[in-house]
Amino acid sequence: MKLAYEDHERMILQRIVCLDADGATRGVLPFVRFCHEYGDVIHSLPFLGYGGPVVDEHDQEDTLNRLIIHLVEYATAENILTITLCLPPFTSHSGLIESILQPDYTLQNFFQYIDLKQPFQQSMGGLQRRKRTRNMRIAGQQGIIVTQDHRETSLKYWYEHIYLPRLTKTGGAIYPWQVFKALGKAAEQHRVLIQYAMKEDQMIGGGIYLKQPCSLDNYMRVVSDEGLTMGAGILLDWSSLEYAQNEKYDYYNWQSCDAVGSDIYRYKESWGSQIAYHQYMTKVTGCLETLKEKGLQSIKEAYAGVFVIPFSELK
């Protein structure tokens, strides 16, 4: 076992690596240590949504056991308050990970997905099919096209001129530029797909998609106010779905949204999407009493974007 890390201000990206006797990698457990005066916490991968251990096919139980036990021992020795593993959808290891980690809290979170192994277009409602056709026709009449572009300058423009204004207007959670910069680097290594909706030479929207083992995850798709009226969002969604089909992914993962039954939820549902659940598993490895005294609002501000413990446990 060995531990590697990269330090980015309050967030330290670390990896536990399990090697066999010949030095070959059997498993990796990436996580972020978030440092704060209230106490440090570990999250599998905040801002990206999921995380957890990745192991090869050989003796998975032993490898998982070694990775997780090493993580718990490290957290205990470092007086870290909590460990949270946000397990990705479509994993077969949830039960085994839970039995090894023995979490103090387990929460379920929903996500929506399209099963690409089936002819999903038949599951779409007639209204959505007509709406998709109409919006794509409008987009075509407006001269909007979808391009792939992994340049940091393009991503920075999208972040500053589309993402920030739109999320500010809608009151959504705003992620720091460093998150997207890291995703841009991953795109250069073919681990992330980045697409933009362009009207002539003007960017009016963009989407970032994570290439998982069996799914393409719609991580972030944001278009400008102008792009919304021109069908740019639907065009980006359709283009990424086509990409997922062509690349033989089993699933297209919309990820989660604010609530079941919300406008965004119904939009994804209209594409023939199904609902399923993944888990947040949290193990307490330090004393939480001082932290709990800080109160809910202070903790939300201190650990923005990072899961600590369920809100129900806080004053």
Side-chain angles (χ1 to χ4, degrees), residues 210-227:
L210 310 182
K211 299 179 180 180
Q212 306 286 19
C214 65
S215 68
L216 183 70
D217 290 6
N218 188 325
Y219 172 71
M220 191 73 67
R221 192 271 282 163
V222 182
V223 302
S224 66
D225 290 345
E226 178 189 17

Side-chain angles (χ1 to χ4, degrees), residues 11 32 34 43-50 163 173-176 178-180 183 210 219-220 255 280 303-307:
M11 291 196 178
V32 166
F34 184 84
H43 192 291
S44 51
L45 284 178
F47 301 120
L48 291 182
Y50 307 128
Y163 173 82
I174 294 177
Y175 293 173
Q178 288 82 354
V179 173
F180 297 98
L183 289 170
L210 310 182
Y219 172 71
M220 191 73 67
Q255 299 198 336
Y280 283 78
Y303 299 92
V306 180
F307 186 89

Side-chain angles (χ1 to χ4, degrees), residues 119-137:
F120 76 91
Q121 296 184 57
Q122 296 179 10
S123 301
M124 295 174 63
L127 177 62
Q128 174 58 27
R129 285 198 295 268
R130 291 191 295 273
K131 183 177 180 181
R132 188 201 71 202
T133 301
R134 182 178 69 252
N135 277 272
M136 292 182 70
R137 183 176 65 250

Side-chain angles (χ1 to χ4, degrees), residues 232-282:
I234 285 181
L235 191 62
L236 282 165
D237 291 339
W238 181 248
S239 177
S240 59
L241 263 166
E242 281 192 321
Y243 177 91
Q245 280 191 310
N246 293 337
E247 294 297 314
K248 308 300 182 185
Y249 284 100
D250 291 335
Y251 306 101
Y252 183 88
N253 179 15
W254 291 103
Q255 299 198 336
S256 189
C257 61
D258 49 353
V260 174
S262 66
D263 290 343
I264 296 176
Y265 177 92
R266 290 197 298 269
Y267 169 78
K268 297 173 182 178
E269 186 179 44
S270 70
W271 285 81
S273 302
Q274 303 176 52
I275 186 172
Y277 297 86
H278 70 103
Q279 294 176 313
Y280 283 78
M281 297 182 185
T282 301

Side-chain angles (χ1 to χ4, degrees), residues 108-175:
Q108 283 193 329
N109 183 49
F110 77 91
F111 66 97
Q112 290 169 275
Y113 71 97
I114 295 174
D115 187 347
L116 298 177
K117 303 188 300 300
Q118 309 294 330
F120 76 91
Q121 296 184 57
Q122 296 179 10
S123 301
M124 295 174 63
L127 177 62
Q128 174 58 27
R129 285 198 295 268
R130 291 191 295 273
K131 183 177 180 181
R132 188 201 71 202
T133 301
R134 182 178 69 252
N135 277 272
M136 292 182 70
R137 183 176 65 250
I138 293 172
Q141 292 170 347
Q142 295 288 335
I144 299 174
I145 61 172
V146 173
T147 64
Q148 292 187 35
D149 184 346
H150 295 159
R151 292 175 298 175
E152 184 175 310
T153 53
S154 300
L155 187 60
K156 186 77 168 180
Y157 181 91
W158 170 83
Y159 181 80
E160 292 180 345
H161 296 275
I162 297 176
Y163 173 82
L164 287 180
R166 185 64 186 165
L167 271 292
T168 299
K169 181 177 181 179
T170 60
I174 294 177
Y175 293 173

Side-chain angles (χ1 to χ4, degrees), residues 53 64-65 68-69 72 85 87 91-108 279-283:
L64 284 169
N65 187 75
I68 294 170
I69 293 302
V72 173
L85 299 183
L87 301 185
T91 179
S92 60
H93 302 317
S94 297
L96 184 54
I97 291 172
E98 185 171 20
S99 68
I100 299 170
L101 183 64
Q102 297 183 12
D104 295 280
Y105 308 104
T106 299
L107 299 180
Q108 283 193 329
Q279 294 176 313
Y280 283 78
M281 297 182 185
T282 301
K283 185 175 186 66

Side-chain angles (χ1 to χ4, degrees), residues 274-304:
Q274 303 176 52
I275 186 172
Y277 297 86
H278 70 103
Q279 294 176 313
Y280 283 78
M281 297 182 185
T282 301
K283 185 175 186 66
V284 177
T285 52
C287 179
L288 294 179
E289 295 311 310
T290 301
L291 176 69
K292 290 181 179 181
E293 292 296 328
K294 302 297 181 181
L296 175 58
Q297 189 57 39
S298 294
I299 293 173
K300 288 172 66 176
E301 293 172 359
Y303 299 92

